[in-house]
Amino acid sequence: NELNERLSAAGEFDGAMAPKILRDTLRDKAVVIFRTPDAADDDVDAVLRLVGLGGATTTATIALTPQFVEANSSEKLLSVVNSPIVPVGRQLSTASLDQGSAAGDLLGIALLRGKQPAVPDDQREIVLSTLRDTGFISYDAPPVDAADTAVIITGGSLGDDAGNRGATVARFAAGLSPHGGGIVLAGRDGSATGTAAVAVTRADAALSDAVSTVDDVDLESGRITAALALGDLLGGGQPGRYGIGQG
């Protein structure tokens, strides 16, 4: 009981200090939030709140559906991604051969601005509506503008029957990364173990060099860290590995 009281007090202190810690760290930036099927509502809501405390606006919250991360849907997703919905003047990477990387590449083109300017609104809507109508994503409202960066919020550990779900999310994050000012993949306790998305990212040098990871987004300190990691990447920092889990 004493330990739980100490942990609760620490979390309350972090929450009280968050506005001062995050003030202006994301000033005038725009962020798009992705959530995987196992992401917790509390984590998504908290990251949205903390990104706002940093001064950023959120362009949209896009939910990846279970079909998006299932291996038996890979051919269907790849066929949709490679259909004539790629915005005019843009090309998908020839290295994006798996479902996660290819979808990340396409959504990065459609939703993020970085080295290249944002795509026109109507072409962004074509990409999003096609992926929604084919059952791969869902959203309450389409973004009205492109974002500077993205956060992907995922769950914790995966069971023995998880297949390649963690790898798909990890490669999706890496597929997004060339198109914005930095990508953060944030998971709960357990996300840095086994075949979960954070663990897969940290175990692969190419992925960990492209994406910052946070493995304790179920804690207030981890949520603050996710927002700080975004600010660091947008300021020219290198991808990092944060939290309390393996790696």
Side-chain angles (χ1 to χ4, degrees):
N1 287 339
E2 182 180 352
L3 178 58
N4 283 330
E5 288 175 4
R6 289 180 180 228
L7 291 170
S8 177
E12 291 173 2
F13 176 79
D14 292 339
M17 292 301 295
K20 296 185 178 184
I21 295 171
L22 295 173
R23 182 178 297 148
D24 292 336
T25 55
L26 295 168
R27 186 176 182 179
D28 299 328
K29 299 299 183 182
V31 181
V32 60
I33 306 290
F34 293 95
R35 59 178 299 167
T36 65
D38 58 343
D41 290 342
D42 286 350
D43 298 341
V44 176
D45 293 342
V47 171
L48 282 166
R49 174 175 53 85
L50 292 175
V51 163
L53 289 176
T57 57
T58 301
T59 60
T61 300
I62 309 291
L64 309 181
T65 66
Q67 183 180 217
F68 187 102
V69 297
E70 292 296 339
N72 58 13
S73 301
S74 61
E75 289 187 12
K76 180 182 177 182
L77 178 53
L78 284 169
S79 69
V80 173
V81 168
N82 288 290
S83 66
I85 62 171
V86 179
V88 176
R90 304 295 179 90
Q91 290 184 330
L92 296 176
S93 170
T94 56
S96 300
L97 301 178
D98 62 275
Q99 69 194 91
S101 300
D105 191 21
L106 177 63
L107 283 169
I109 291 171
L111 296 176
L112 297 174
R113 57 183 171 226
K115 295 179 181 178
Q116 292 184 298
V119 302
D121 293 347
D122 59 336
Q123 295 186 39
R124 181 183 306 112
E125 175 58 24
I126 288 172
V127 171
L128 290 174
S129 61
T130 301
L131 287 170
R132 180 193 59 197
D133 294 346
T134 51
F136 290 108
I137 65 172
S138 65
Y139 50 88
D140 291 333
V144 296
D145 197 6
D148 300 295
T149 186
V151 182
I152 303 161
I153 303 171
T154 189
S157 59
L158 298 177
D160 295 335
D161 59 346
N164 68 342
R165 281 183 289 161
T168 297
V169 172
R171 290 169 184 157
F172 170 71
L176 287 170
S177 64
H179 302 290
I183 306 299
V184 172
L185 172 62
R188 311 196 104 216
D189 181 30
S191 62
T193 62
T195 60
V198 171
V200 172
T201 302
R202 292 179 178 175
D204 186 310
L207 300 180
S208 63
D209 286 345
V211 178
S212 284
T213 53
V214 178
D215 61 43
D216 57 350
V217 77
D218 47 324
L219 301 179
E220 190 71 10
S221 57
R223 295 162 177 173
I224 293 171
T225 300
L228 289 174
L230 277 181
D232 185 57
L233 290 170
L234 287 166
Q238 298 299 309
R241 297 170 291 280
Y242 308 108
I244 57 176
Q246 188 173 353

